[in-house]
Amino acid sequence: MARVGSIATNKLTGLLTADSGLTTSISMLAADTNVNLPGIGSQQVIAQHVALDLSEKSFPLKYPLVNVYCEKVTNSLREKFRTFSGKARLVVETRVSQDRLDGVETQLQLYVDAVTQVLDQSRGDWGQGMFYSGGYEISFDAVKQGGKNFVQLAKVTLEIEISSN
């Protein structure tokens, strides 16, 4: 049932790239905080789990970058006559890079706020037997060398309930 992870990842990617997704949230946050925050286009939201160093060597990247992937799928068979009834753990990994260390963390936190705003607006039924209750966990990595000089990433981890035949 690995396909469950792909379907969930594609659904979350669609929610982030929709007209009411990241683009809207980022522009509202930039206006509220008076911070120049570059937008994230749909080509910067990638449904792929790739390590930072490998992705930088493999293809040209445009920062900020959002990677969406399924980290874990659990079929607990809670519903008796379903083929799959369990959870999928999804991750939205946001990467920010710039040539100066100053402001990297602030910018990353605003992008993560934009991601969580989209998630907050997406609570409930996602269709195809997927349901998101609204919880998530955020972790921030330390700034390191990479990208345009300095790069930092954060992960927003969430679980969705899935029930399918």
Side-chain angles (χ1 to χ4, degrees):
M1 275 320 276
R3 183 157 156 68
V4 169
S6 300
I7 292 169
T9 299
N10 290 336
K11 181 64 176 181
L12 181 53
T13 302
L15 291 170
L16 293 169
T17 57
D19 291 338
S20 61
L22 281 177
T23 304
T24 303
S25 293
I26 290 169
S27 60
M28 288 182 356
L29 280 170
D32 290 348
T33 60
N34 264 349
V35 173
N36 182 19
L37 204 57
I40 295 178
S42 60
Q43 70 279 5
Q44 292 165 271
V45 180
I46 303 169
Q48 194 171 41
H49 187 188
V50 180
L52 177 66
D53 55 344
L54 182 61
S55 64
E56 287 185 342
K57 292 176 185 175
S58 298
F59 46 94
L61 301 176
K62 183 177 179 192
Y63 288 98
L65 182 68
V66 176
N67 285 359
V68 182
Y69 56 90
C70 183
E71 186 176 70
K72 183 178 178 181
V73 175
T74 305
N75 187 0
S76 55
L77 292 173
R78 285 172 301 151
E79 297 177 47
K80 214 174 194 179
F81 298 104
R82 297 274 185 181
T83 305
F84 187 94
S85 61
K87 296 180 180 185
R89 183 181 307 149
L90 302 175
V91 177
V92 179
E93 184 181 274
T94 306
R95 300 175 183 178
V96 172
S97 181
Q98 61 186 34
D99 58 353
R100 293 175 296 121
L101 187 57
D102 184 41
V104 171
E105 192 164 357
T106 302
Q107 200 176 60
L108 179 63
Q109 289 173 350
L110 289 171
Y111 284 121
V112 169
D113 283 347
V115 169
T116 58
Q117 280 183 5
V118 172
L119 292 175
D120 290 342
Q121 295 166 2
S122 302
R123 288 183 184 148
D125 190 1
W126 284 7
Q128 294 180 295
M130 294 181 278
F131 185 84
Y132 173 57
S133 63
Y136 51 81
E137 179 181 303
I138 303 170
S139 63
F140 294 91
D141 284 0
V143 177
K144 52 180 120 175
Q145 188 124 21
K148 296 176 182 172
N149 205 5
F150 298 104
V151 66
Q152 186 177 20
L153 62 90
K155 293 180 183 179
V156 179
T157 306
L158 59 131
E159 284 191 340
I160 60 168
E161 299 284 334
I162 302 174
S163 179
S164 67
N165 291 327

